[in-house]
Structures are given as structure tokens and as C-alpha cells.
Amino acid sequence: VASRAGQTGARCGEPRLAMARSRFPARSGSAAGTGVQLRQAVRCRALRQPRAFAGNRLGAARYAGYRRTGHGVRGGGPSVIAAMLSAPLAAALLCALWLQLARRGRWLDSPGQRSSHSLPTASGGGVGIILALALATAVAAQAGVVWPPVYGILLGLAVLLMLVGLLDDRYNLPARLRLGVYCAVCALLVTAVFAAAPASDVLFGVAVPLWVQAPLLVLALLWLVNLYNFMDGIDGLATLQAFLAGMGGGLLALLAGDVTLALMCVLLALS
């Protein structure tokens, strides 16, 4: 990306450099800083990429990938706002509808030794959340957001986990069967992510081979899935954790220049 930017900047020639100087007049300060600002302005205009990506290697690399694949947020602000508004509205409506269906069908969770509730409570509320997330992503796609294929795999695996949880609530599935499904889902997701994005052998600043990273990520996801299974029996705890994780992940993705991932995280937090 840096090489391409340098070549493009060289092809721009003096007219673009003069235009950049006119838009960014020299101020009091170091000449080196002014030169860097001019070079970033020329490259930003030549590549036609948002200025937020200029000087950000990770963001520029992701933006170049979006240019090649066509993925990203094309609709701008209206598409993002429409998707963000649809997520909580759909979640509220679908969860209310599911609550009525669960009460009529007597799909209730009786309190046990590890339960925090003392009265039979409707189970399966995650159905409304997952369906609301899927609906919000569909609204975003209609509004101009182009989702990479890995996001479709992510939603499909989330629906599979939802169905397994729903069947377990109704028929008390064997623990080995559920563990096998969870392991398969986590392994498929890690494989899809590694296939969709160029992997690095550096993890948290430490050189870790990919064949070590993959099982570690699978175990981490498996631990996280079981952690939420324990938390969902306490009112508001799983919801609060999902909201904080989604918003935090969205902020980190936005700082890294991945607007599509940031939008998906925020939709998950609002669903």
C-alpha cells in the first residue's frame, strides 16, 4: 500500500502538489511536518480514500482491500443510522412477541439449584436477539452496506447456536452433543476468519505460529460461549456484557479503520 501510494503520488506531478499547497498553506512550525502533511494530502486525493486513513497503515490496507473486493459502507450516514435504529426496535418487538409465544406454549424454565430466579420464567429470549441482528444487517445491506462473506458465516453460526440452545431448553440435549456442536462452530468461525483476512504470526506483540493461534482462538471462543450460558440466567448480566463488548469492539474497529466491523459490533450491542 505504501509503495502504491508513493507511485501514485509521483504520478500526480506538480499540479496536484501546488493544489495541495494552496489548500494547506504553510504555517509556523517544522518544515518536515508541513512536508508530511502535503504528501498525505496528495496521496489521499490521488487514492480517493478518506483522510482518516491517511498515515494509518492498517486503515489504508483495509481501505485498499475494500476497493478491491467492493466491501464497505457505501450508503454513508443514512445507511448506518437506518441499521442502528432498526436493531433495538426489532429486538424489542421480536422479544415481546417471543415472550407471548413462550407463555402460551408453556416454554418456561423452572428454577433450579443454579438459577437466580424463583418463579418459572420464559426461555428462548435469544431468538428475538439473533433475529433482530439478522434483520438489522439486512436493513443495512438494503441501505448500501456491502457485508463481506465472513459476516454471513458469522450470522449463520449464530443462528445454529440459537437453535441448539432452543432445542436444549425443550428436550435437554446431552452435554456431549452440545459441546461437540460448540467446538465445531468455534472451529468453523476461526477458519472462516483466517481465510477472509491475512493472518499474522504476531499475537499481542509476541511471535506465535498460526498453528498455535488457531486452537487458542477456538478454546477462547468455546470458553466465551459457555461463559454466556452461565450468565444468561441472571437478569441483565448477559445483556450488559454483550452491550459493553459490542460497543468496545466497535470503537476498536473504528480506530483501526474497519468501518464495516465497527457497524457489525454496534448492531450486535443494540440488538
Side-chain angles (χ1 to χ4, degrees):
V1 174
S3 175
R4 180 187 175 189
Q7 295 171 3
T8 308
R11 290 196 301 267
C12 290
E14 291 299 326
R16 289 194 180 275
L17 186 60
M19 180 168 54
R21 287 199 180 103
S22 64
R23 293 189 60 186
F24 299 90
R27 299 178 182 176
S28 58
S30 64
T34 304
V36 170
Q37 187 181 28
L38 286 173
R39 285 195 297 272
Q40 289 183 357
V42 171
R43 292 173 184 174
C44 178
R45 174 174 289 275
L47 290 175
R48 296 184 182 276
Q49 69 184 61
R51 192 166 309 157
F53 290 110
N56 184 341
R57 291 186 178 181
L58 178 59
R62 292 186 180 277
Y63 183 79
Y66 291 152
R67 283 169 57 91
R68 291 192 301 270
T69 60
H71 302 146
V73 180
R74 293 182 177 178
S79 63
V80 174
I81 294 175
M84 292 175 62
L85 290 177
S86 65
L89 292 177
L93 293 176
L94 291 173
C95 286
L97 178 61
W98 180 261
L99 180 61
Q100 296 298 324
L101 293 176
R103 287 174 176 174
R104 292 180 182 178
R106 305 295 297 174
W107 302 333
L108 305 176
D109 180 50
S110 299
Q113 294 181 352
R114 296 187 304 174
S115 301
S116 62
H117 57 282
S118 57
L119 298 175
T121 305
S123 61
V127 174
I129 295 175
I130 296 299
L131 294 182
L133 177 61
L135 180 61
T137 56
V139 171
Q142 290 294 325
V145 177
V146 182
W147 299 107
V150 68
Y151 289 89
I153 298 175
L154 173 64
L155 286 176
L157 294 176
V159 172
L160 176 59
L161 288 181
M162 177 197 74
L163 293 176
V164 171
L166 192 60
L167 291 175
D168 182 51
D169 290 339
R170 292 289 295 165
Y171 303 107
N172 195 18
L173 298 179
R176 291 184 178 180
L177 176 60
R178 288 184 283 115
L179 180 61
V181 174
Y182 294 161
C183 289
V185 166
C186 295
L188 286 174
L189 182 58
V190 171
T191 303
V193 170
F194 274 27
S200 173
D201 58 356
V202 178
L203 187 64
F204 299 112
V206 180
V208 180
L210 297 181
W211 62 270
V212 176
Q213 289 187 35
L216 288 178
L217 291 175
V218 171
L219 289 176
L221 284 175
L222 185 61
W223 168 80
L224 188 62
V225 170
N226 282 276
L227 179 63
Y228 270 87
N229 282 337
F230 280 106
M231 288 194 302
D232 64 0
I234 303 177
D235 291 340
L237 181 58
T239 302
L240 179 61
Q241 293 298 321
F243 177 80
L244 294 177
M247 286 298 186
L251 178 59
L252 292 177
L254 192 61
L255 292 176
D258 196 335
V259 182
T260 310
L261 178 58
L263 179 59
M264 174 60 75
C265 292
V266 172
L267 292 182
L268 175 60
L270 296 178
S271 297

